[in-house]
Amino acid sequence: MKPTGKLLLVLCAAAIFASCKKDAVTTPVNEQITRKATSELTTTLSETFESGTKTAYASASVTLGSGSWTLNDALIGNLSTDLKNGTQSARIRNTGTLNMNFDATGGATTITISHGVFGSDGSSTWQLWISTNSGSSYTQVGSTVTSSATSLSTATFTVAVTGSYRLSIRKISGGTNRINIDDITVTTGTGTGGGGGTTGDNSNLLMGNPSNATTSVVLVTNYLMDKTYYTSSYNSTRGTPNWVSWHINSSDIGSTARQDDFRADVTLPSGWYEVGSTSYSGSGFDRGHNCPSGDRTASVAANSATFLMDNMIPQAPVNNQQTWANMENYIRTLVTAGNEVYVVMGSYGTGGTGSSGAANTIDGGHVTVPSNIWKVVVVIPDGNGDLARVTTSTRVIAVNTPNINTTNSDWKTYRTSVDAIESATGYDILSALPTSVQSVVEATVDNQ
């Protein structure tokens, strides 16, 4: 029997609880209570493809459990080679689509979709689009997803819809390769506190999931990791994060000393290479933090979390100790002045220049040296209802520096737009914001 939407939520909650228990070894109980996000979730759409029949690829509408959908170059599959939970799932080929013909109500915060390849077919890519005007126009949600696994994986998208919506799933590459889609679940809810995977105030991913990272272990280059004090997309083939996202308010800045306990992350999936505390030794590159130690000085546990090696990148010493240190200090002055900030930092490209010269990789090829390092900062006054308070006049700082040892110590030299960083990385960095707000703040280059 296929799990119902309610059962899926229970299973997800159990998984989150298990993850929190794992962190409890090093995190005091009282701090877990204050830092862990809490959320009341409501399911506003659940489609399991268990009801309805469509045996041909030709475009036609079919009544499913949630309502009427139009399946174009797609059908309802029930073969042994269809990936599915239960007896049926959708199967799409070429550039087929699954489109809702009705408005779901109640809003949307998180959308999860199970997907994988049909039979022995090759990989394909697809996108999720959403409409909030009864199908008159659509906007892509998150990043393009690749289906390459022969078992169902889960793609998770973060949105901020308060009213009605329609979904459109669009296969965009792979030709005649077929993919299966199953178990579409849409939830909405609010949370409080600093957590990783939720979308309430102060949560690490409130502004969105830039690369649509998920916790599926098959996504070896885009693996979502919630470290309580920051959330990241980890790339196991590069040995570094793609990006790290976190929130800072005045309660995060205290008097805890820098722990300097650089160490491998032993919680990585089995078989993945664990970058160690000495992996950068003799390379000419610093162990450069993404989420800085100085942003997490409220407790020993918080500060220690930033010294996991999967929070590090090989960073040119001058770039790390001057350019980026100066920007990090400046951001903290904004916080102590009465603001809270949402930060996303990442890197891309291959090849940097450290104190010992240029290099593409270190640690015997296990760790890739990035060519560029970027950061995006959303600044809002202290308050509640953070996502709704980001407007077209909100200050957004975007910086992109080369990873070289001769960068200017003045980080403002490297200010750019979010749009430019997205163009370089392919990410959708502030995807949770309304498109009307994104279009303005992402095109603006900060000059304060």
Side-chain angles (χ1 to χ4, degrees):
M1 178 180 296
K2 177 176 284 189
T4 63
K6 183 180 293 185
L7 179 55
L8 286 171
L9 289 175
V10 172
L11 293 174
C12 289
I16 293 170
F17 177 74
S19 176
C20 292
K21 284 188 69 178
K22 187 184 298 182
D23 290 338
V25 174
T26 57
T27 308
V29 171
N30 62 337
E31 185 171 337
Q32 289 183 60
I33 293 172
T34 57
R35 290 292 303 176
K36 185 178 68 176
T38 59
S39 178
E40 294 183 2
L41 297 179
T42 300
T43 300
T44 60
L45 178 77
S46 177
E47 181 49 64
T48 62
F49 298 98
E50 288 302 287
S51 62
T53 301
K54 186 175 184 291
T55 58
Y57 284 106
S59 181
S61 295
V62 58
T63 300
L64 303 176
S66 59
S68 173
W69 291 64
T70 294
L71 277 58
N72 177 36
D73 224 345
L75 51 73
I76 304 298
N78 56 12
L79 302 178
S80 61
T81 43
D82 282 296
L83 296 181
K84 53 192 178 296
N85 286 320
T87 60
Q88 297 189 152
S89 63
R91 188 197 311 158
I92 314 174
R93 68 179 185 182
N94 298 321
T95 53
T97 57
L98 310 178
N99 293 323
M100 289 171 55
N101 298 326
F102 63 97
D103 289 332
T105 59
T109 298
T110 301
I111 304 170
T112 59
I113 301 174
S114 297
H115 66 100
V117 301
F118 171 81
S120 59
D121 286 6
S123 62
S124 301
T125 60
W126 56 275
Q127 297 171 342
L128 174 65
W129 291 65
I130 193 167
S131 172
T132 56
N133 55 12
S134 298
S136 295
S137 62
Y138 284 82
T139 301
Q140 185 182 347
V141 177
S143 302
T144 299
V145 180
T146 299
S147 291
S148 57
T150 54
S151 59
L152 285 175
S153 303
T154 301
T156 303
F157 304 86
T158 301
V159 294
V161 176
T162 56
S164 62
Y165 60 89
R166 296 187 184 193
L167 302 181
S168 174
I169 297 171
R170 306 176 181 182
K171 184 174 179 290
I172 63 169
S173 79
T176 57
N177 288 334
R178 293 152 293 183
I179 60 172
N180 286 119
I181 298 291
D182 205 0
D183 293 337
I184 302 171
T185 303
V186 183
T187 58
T188 186
T190 58
T192 58
T198 63
T199 54
D201 273 5
N202 305 345
S203 61
N204 297 326
L205 292 182
L206 184 68
M207 296 297 151
N209 181 330
S211 62
N212 190 34
T214 75
T215 55
S216 172
V217 295
V218 301
L219 296 179
V220 296
T221 63
N222 190 25
Y223 181 65
L224 186 67
M225 299 199 303
D226 179 1
K227 294 303 179 184
T228 303
Y229 305 99
Y230 55 89
T231 300
S232 66
S233 161
Y234 187 66
N235 190 322
S236 66
T237 65
R238 291 175 67 95
T240 62
N242 298 308
W243 51 262
V244 178
S245 185
W246 68 101
H247 170 263
I248 320 171
N249 60 21
S250 57
S251 66
D252 294 308
I253 300 174
S255 57
T256 298
R258 180 182 169 99
Q259 297 302 297
D260 274 326
D261 53 344
F262 292 94
R263 63 200 184 279
D265 188 345
V266 297
T267 69
L268 287 173
S270 177
W272 288 18
Y273 181 75
E274 295 176 1
V275 181
S277 61
T278 60
S279 291
Y280 290 25
S281 297
S283 68
F285 292 93
D286 283 0
R287 296 171 291 192
H289 285 68
N290 279 260
C291 179
S293 162
D295 288 358
R296 292 292 183 250
T297 53
S299 68
V300 170
N303 192 262
S304 178
T306 70
F307 286 92
L308 289 168
M309 288 302 295
D310 46 29
N311 182 43
M312 306 296 163
I313 53 172
Q315 193 168 4
V318 169
N319 181 277
N320 179 40
Q321 299 169 31
Q322 296 183 28
T323 313
W324 283 98
N326 290 339
M327 184 181 186
E328 291 164 5
N329 289 332
Y330 174 74
I331 293 170
R332 287 189 285 271
T333 67
L334 295 177
V335 174
T336 56
N339 298 291
E340 54 185 304
V341 299
Y342 289 87
V343 188
V344 189
M345 177 175 172
S347 57
Y348 66 90
T350 301
T353 304
S355 59
S356 299
N360 290 334
T361 64
I362 63 173
D363 193 22
H366 289 296
V367 179
T368 299
V369 179
S371 63
N372 287 74
I373 306 167
W374 57 269
K375 181 173 284 188
V376 172
V377 185
V378 179
V379 185
I380 54 177
D382 287 335
N384 298 314
D386 293 350
L387 199 62
R389 294 191 296 122
V390 180
T391 69
T392 54
S393 60
T394 295
R395 186 182 184 190
V396 175
I397 308 169
V399 167
N400 189 351
T401 74
N403 188 21
I404 58 177
N405 214 33
T406 54
T407 48
N408 192 314
S409 61
D410 183 2
W411 61 269
K412 294 181 179 180
T413 305
Y414 302 100
R415 285 184 291 191
T416 184
S417 67
V418 177
D419 280 341
I421 295 174
E422 289 182 335
S423 178
T425 61
Y427 299 151
D428 190 0
I429 295 172
L430 302 177
S431 61
L433 296 178
T435 54
S436 58
V437 175
Q438 287 187 57
S439 62
V440 176
V441 299
E442 292 187 355
T444 302
V445 178
D446 177 67
N447 60 6
Q448 296 187 39

